[in-house]
Amino acid sequence: MKFKYLSIQNCRELLPSRFDIRFLREFDCTLEVIDTSGDHIGAITKAIQRNESTQGKKPWDRQFVYDIDICPTLDYRKNEIEWRIQDYYIESQRARSGINKRIHAMFSLIYEDGGRWTFKMPLQYLLKGWGDANEGYQGYSHCVKLRGMKDLFGEVIPDDTEFVEKCYSGITKRNWLQRLEEHLRQVRQGGKKLFHQAWREAADANDVVYTSFLQHVNLSYEEVMQWEEMYVDQHTLAPKGLNMIPGGFEGNKYLYKHRITDRLDIDLEERERAVTEYALQHPLKGIPNPFMSELWKTDEHYLKVIAARDKTLSPDQVRKIRELGKLGYSASTIKREVDALNVQQVKNVLMDRTYKRIH
């Protein structure tokens, strides 16, 4: 069977092997349904025509402006494939703009334990007419979103806690999936980078959602370095994200400044070794627990954990202690009145040593 829409070469280069030839045939048939019926007639054909008419242009200038995502999901719990289209343009509040206003393909795997891994990229990379998507440099992001990790007291966070997401971005000349496998090998081997630590922590969490986003292909070295420098600075540099040093050329300057390298003009493999060495020399840099630090910034999470623990004071108890303290009651009397654990617990509140966020 010949494929009408998909470039098999690019699909094999850019998609995990679990999305095999049988899946790709079904995906190609689904694209035909989208292209010939319903609300999106002609959209896939126009995307291919855009591929063909923009040969030789920069990748970001080749995108067909159309605001939908095509979202196939392989659910191993049900042993079935679900097909869904996310129409962003229908809802004005969710409509995307700029470089995000394009057709994305979002391939999700749902595992037996409920975990999800989504591989996202502009659909045009996978369609006929694009050319070799594996040529040149690629820019990517990997995110992990989770809840159910242990809190600072060693107890599991309540199930209704909001998800916390942290992302890492990087660049490669080889292939983004090959680079991902190298990252995962370093995770398994106890790598010291913040990204590796975060993914190890996710193994102990519930309802983990991984997202791997291939953002750019076919970039030159200068272009991909400039993209990474901008993207890391805006989105993924610690503590906001999981990159330990700045991206791109600023990252090279950072490594040179910290005497990890002896020159600025290093290639990506040399930089990778240098970042590994930096992580070894600075094991406390970054965030000891990137997910928990984000959660504990919010008073809402703080109060949830307080309420879930038996030996901590409730917000009402804390307020009562402060009120009675202002009225001149002794710590021992306040302890009895509010049923505190001990006198020292009351004194800590009165001296503003604990429960500072409760007002």
Side-chain angles (χ1 to χ4, degrees):
M1 171 186 172
K2 291 186 177 180
F3 287 79
K4 185 173 182 179
Y5 298 95
L6 293 174
S7 163
I8 297 305
Q9 176 186 345
N10 284 349
C11 288
R12 287 175 169 167
E13 291 283 1
L14 303 182
L15 292 177
S17 59
R18 294 201 181 193
F19 299 103
D20 58 18
I21 193 68
R22 292 171 298 178
F23 169 86
L24 294 177
R25 287 196 183 100
E26 188 167 349
F27 185 37
D28 197 66
C29 291
T30 301
L31 292 179
E32 183 171 21
V33 172
I34 295 171
D35 198 47
T36 59
S37 62
D39 298 326
H40 309 291
I41 294 178
I44 310 303
T45 295
K46 291 177 182 177
I48 293 176
Q49 291 172 346
R50 180 70 180 173
N51 280 356
E52 295 169 343
S53 65
T54 56
Q55 288 286 335
K57 292 188 177 182
K58 297 298 183 182
W60 49 81
D61 291 329
R62 303 185 64 187
Q63 296 299 324
F64 171 56
V65 179
Y66 199 73
D67 200 12
I68 65 171
D69 287 346
I70 301 174
C71 311
T73 299
L74 290 175
D75 192 334
Y76 289 104
R77 300 169 304 177
K78 303 177 183 177
N79 194 29
E80 64 182 26
I81 303 176
E82 174 187 331
W83 300 90
R84 180 175 62 86
I85 296 178
Q86 177 65 60
D87 298 315
Y88 287 99
Y89 69 90
I90 292 178
E91 306 173 46
S92 59
Q93 293 182 344
R94 300 187 65 191
R96 299 177 296 195
S97 60
I99 62 172
N100 294 315
K101 194 172 184 179
R102 59 183 63 173
I103 304 176
H104 283 108
M106 299 180 64
F107 304 88
S108 295
L109 300 168
I110 300 181
Y111 300 98
E112 287 81 357
D113 63 359
R116 176 188 290 264
W117 198 333
T118 297
F119 296 83
K120 176 181 178 181
M121 64 197 66
L123 176 66
Q124 284 175 250
Y125 296 168
L126 304 175
L127 298 180
K128 291 182 177 182
W130 181 269
D132 185 357
N134 208 43
E135 181 179 320
Y137 291 84
Q138 300 174 348
Y140 59 85
S141 297
H142 297 301
C143 302
V144 57
K145 183 187 297 185
L146 55 81
R147 65 184 176 194
M149 76 293 284
K150 292 183 178 180
D151 65 25
L152 298 182
F153 301 102
E155 296 187 1
V156 175
I157 297 170
D159 288 339
D160 60 348
T161 299
E162 292 295 323
F163 278 99
V164 174
E165 183 176 62
K166 289 287 182 175
C167 299
Y168 169 88
S169 54
I171 57 179
T172 183
K173 188 178 183 181
R174 297 190 298 280
N175 176 276
W176 82 302
L177 295 177
Q178 179 183 347
R179 185 72 191 98
L180 173 59
E181 181 52 43
E182 293 169 354
H183 279 304
L184 295 178
R185 184 166 58 248
Q186 291 175 306
V187 170
R188 294 188 292 268
Q189 294 174 348
K192 302 300 183 183
K193 296 177 184 175
L194 195 57
F195 173 44
H196 302 151
Q197 177 184 331
W199 281 50
R200 279 196 299 275
E201 289 173 0
D204 296 326
N206 301 321
D207 302 325
V208 182
V209 178
Y210 301 96
T211 302
S212 294
F213 185 8
L214 178 59
Q215 302 201 38
H216 292 288
V217 298
N218 302 141
L219 299 185
S220 68
Y221 174 75
E222 289 73 17
E223 288 167 346
V224 81
M225 289 288 280
Q226 290 169 2
W227 170 80
E228 187 189 42
E229 185 174 312
M230 176 276 298
Y231 198 84
V232 170
D233 180 65
Q234 292 184 6
H235 303 289
T236 64
L237 185 62
K240 182 185 299 183
L242 299 174
N243 286 80
M244 296 181 68
I245 70 167
F249 295 111
E250 283 300 314
N252 289 2
K253 294 177 184 178
Y254 188 92
L255 292 168
Y256 179 76
K257 176 182 177 180
H258 288 78
R259 300 183 179 180
I260 306 297
T261 61
D262 59 2
R263 66 188 197 284
L264 293 175
D265 58 335
I266 57 176
D267 60 28
L268 295 187
E269 291 188 5
E270 290 176 293
R271 189 181 71 166
E272 177 62 23
R273 291 193 292 269
V275 175
T276 298
E277 179 61 28
Y278 176 79
L280 290 173
Q281 291 186 20
H282 303 79
L284 298 181
K285 292 290 184 181
I287 314 167
N289 185 317
F291 302 106
M292 289 311 308
S293 65
E294 189 70 21
L295 279 175
W296 280 81
K297 289 179 182 177
T298 68
D299 291 341
E300 180 182 5
H301 169 72
Y302 175 82
L303 293 175
K304 282 182 179 179
V305 174
I306 291 300
R309 291 180 54 83
D310 294 334
K311 296 182 179 181
T312 57
L313 297 167
S314 70
D316 286 341
Q317 285 177 302
V318 172
R319 296 185 187 103
K320 188 66 173 179
I321 289 172
R322 291 178 179 149
E323 178 184 341
L324 294 176
K326 291 179 180 178
L327 295 175
Y329 287 85
S330 66
S332 57
T333 301
I334 296 175
K335 172 189 171 298
R336 292 193 300 271
E337 289 292 324
V338 302
D339 194 26
L341 184 64
N342 51 49
V343 172
Q344 187 60 50
Q345 191 178 44
V346 172
K347 288 182 177 179
N348 286 340
V349 174
L350 294 175
M351 297 176 71
D352 205 25
R353 292 174 179 168
T354 56
Y355 300 95
K356 295 180 181 180
R357 297 196 199 183
I358 297 177
H359 305 290

